[in-house]
Amino acid sequence: MTTTEHDLEIELDPKPVHDRPLLEVMGLTKHFTVGRGRTRAVVRAVDGLDLTIRRGDTVGIVGESGCGKTTTGRVLAGLESPTGGEIVVDGRQRVDESTRASRRDLRSLRRRIQMIFQDPLASLDPRIPVGESIVEALATQRIGTPQERRARAVALLQRVGLSAAMADRYPAEFSGGQRQRIGIARALAVGPDLVIADEPTSALDVSVRAQVVNLMRDLRDDLGVAFLFISHDMATVRYLCDEVVVMYLGRVMERAPREALFAEPKHPYTQALLAAVPVPDPVREAQRERVVLSGDLPSPVAPPPGCRFSTRCPLATDLCRTTEPELTPLPGGRAAACHYV
């Protein structure tokens, strides 16, 4: 059964507002088995993640490479099956291939959450025009007739700042910034409630990066689409996000509203991340207090006992090295996993 042209137009209108969270994640884990026989080991990429996203909000996930940011995004987008935990979308528990869900249910739930990838060239089929890539997403979800899908693809390209004539060009004919705009258009094609953006600006020049970030912000404000923004760029996270989640070795170290986190980070790891961001004022840069980390990120195959950050934390004590701290709620809607907050 197909939708009408009117239905296709409605999906670009702002999303309705509900009191209940759009996405609730409780105790999410994702473990990978590597090696064989005696060398077999388990990588704890995500290890007990709690997360809540409301409609129209932008939540940022930050941390060093290997902290579990991208894996979290892929699990929430349905590209990886979780090892454990619950994912609730708009009050309904999400299912995946490991359950006995019908194809119709899977298609419906996957439509609610879409993803923008780090490398737009790798995520686009080089053999077909970009307009067809958007049409393909609509066809997969059985939205509209072929003529309606083509019209919607053109409209989406125009919505992200490209011309209608570009629909017939191939990915190699575009710049990096243009390809990322195409990726955004494709993610929006099926009318999702949540878009997961995995380092969407890391491969772009600074000027182009600002344009793409502003586009995402405009789409969020105009359409009410929620974003999960995965990044290591703290300046962009501060500009775009409403709330920030700080991850380290698969665990949440701190969670706080944007301005609270940047004004007064509670966890030593968050303090170290912010201390690494340069300040454009030379006087302030020379005067500010620094938190210097020693050592490398431990292996997720064998995380240290106690607090996972204890091997690099300048404030660590014997308690930190033996007892893992809980993510403790704090005033102001924030939380931190540290014995000495």
Side-chain angles (χ1 to χ4, degrees):
M1 180 177 180
T2 60
T3 61
T4 66
E5 185 175 356
H6 180 64
D7 291 329
L8 290 171
E9 292 174 350
I10 285 176
E11 290 169 3
L12 288 179
D13 289 341
K15 297 289 183 180
V17 177
H18 300 297
D19 291 334
R20 65 173 176 244
L22 171 62
L23 177 73
E24 294 178 279
V25 180
M26 294 154 284
L28 181 67
T29 61
K30 178 59 181 178
H31 300 166
F32 297 95
T33 301
V34 295
R36 295 181 179 180
R38 295 183 179 180
T39 62
R40 188 182 181 201
V42 176
V43 177
R44 299 177 179 274
V46 182
D47 209 13
L49 173 72
D50 294 334
L51 181 68
T52 300
I53 301 178
R54 297 189 176 275
R55 292 181 181 274
D57 284 353
T58 300
V59 176
I61 298 184
V62 300
E64 295 172 278
S65 297
C67 73
K69 307 188 299 294
T70 293
T71 301
T72 296
R74 291 181 62 85
V75 170
L76 296 182
L79 300 178
E80 302 275 0
S81 297
T83 304
E86 291 185 67
I87 302 173
V88 178
V89 181
D90 205 10
R92 180 182 176 190
Q93 186 168 355
R94 202 195 75 180
V95 292
D96 54 43
E97 290 89 343
S98 63
T99 69
R100 294 183 178 178
S102 68
R103 290 185 178 181
R104 182 178 179 181
D105 288 338
L106 289 172
R107 186 168 59 247
S108 174
L109 287 169
R110 283 173 174 169
R111 178 176 173 177
R112 308 287 298 274
I113 302 176
Q114 291 290 302
M115 193 162 185
I116 303 169
F117 298 92
Q118 180 177 0
D119 185 353
L121 183 59
S123 63
L124 294 171
D125 190 334
R127 301 166 297 178
I128 63 175
V130 297
E132 289 301 312
S133 290
I134 300 174
V135 167
E136 186 178 52
L138 293 166
T140 300
Q141 290 291 339
R142 301 177 183 176
I143 298 173
T145 66
Q147 294 78 14
E148 291 167 350
R149 293 165 189 163
R150 171 71 181 187
R152 181 170 174 82
V154 170
L156 283 163
L157 289 174
Q158 293 174 322
R159 182 65 180 82
V160 298
L162 302 176
S163 69
M166 292 181 175
D168 295 320
R169 297 182 184 178
Y170 291 85
E173 300 178 61
F174 294 91
S175 67
Q178 289 174 325
R179 285 194 288 261
Q180 197 57 284
R181 289 173 183 267
I182 295 165
I184 294 172
R186 187 176 61 176
L188 293 174
V190 297
D193 296 304
L194 171 65
V195 174
I196 299 172
D198 181 18
E199 300 274 11
T201 61
S202 62
L204 305 178
D205 294 336
V206 174
S207 59
V208 178
R209 185 181 308 171
Q211 295 172 11
V212 172
V213 169
N214 284 328
L215 172 62
M216 293 173 59
R217 189 172 186 176
D218 290 343
L219 291 170
R220 177 197 64 185
D221 296 342
D222 295 344
L223 304 180
V225 178
F227 279 88
L228 179 63
F229 188 75
I230 300 169
S231 181
H232 64 274
D233 185 343
M234 300 299 287
T236 302
V237 167
R238 185 171 191 175
Y239 175 74
L240 186 64
C241 298
D242 303 298
E243 184 180 36
V244 184
V245 176
V246 181
M247 290 187 68
Y248 184 84
L249 274 185
R251 299 299 296 266
V252 175
M253 297 289 105
E254 185 168 358
R255 183 184 67 240
R258 171 192 59 204
E259 291 304 328
L261 182 128
F262 280 89
E264 190 180 4
K266 297 294 186 181
H267 198 283
Y269 180 58
T270 310
Q271 295 168 5
L273 287 179
L274 294 180
V277 179
V279 176
D281 185 339
V283 177
R284 288 178 56 200
E285 176 71 17
Q287 293 176 347
R288 68 176 179 150
E289 183 179 355
R290 294 188 174 277
V291 178
V292 180
L293 299 182
S294 59
D296 298 323
L297 188 73
S299 170
V301 173
C307 175
R308 299 191 177 191
F309 186 57
S310 62
T311 58
R312 303 173 70 194
C313 180
L315 306 178
T317 64
D318 289 341
L319 175 64
C320 303
R321 300 183 185 97
T322 56
T323 305
E324 185 170 18
E326 297 290 335
L327 187 64
T328 305
L330 300 172
R334 61 194 304 169
C338 179
H339 293 299
Y340 302 109
V341 169

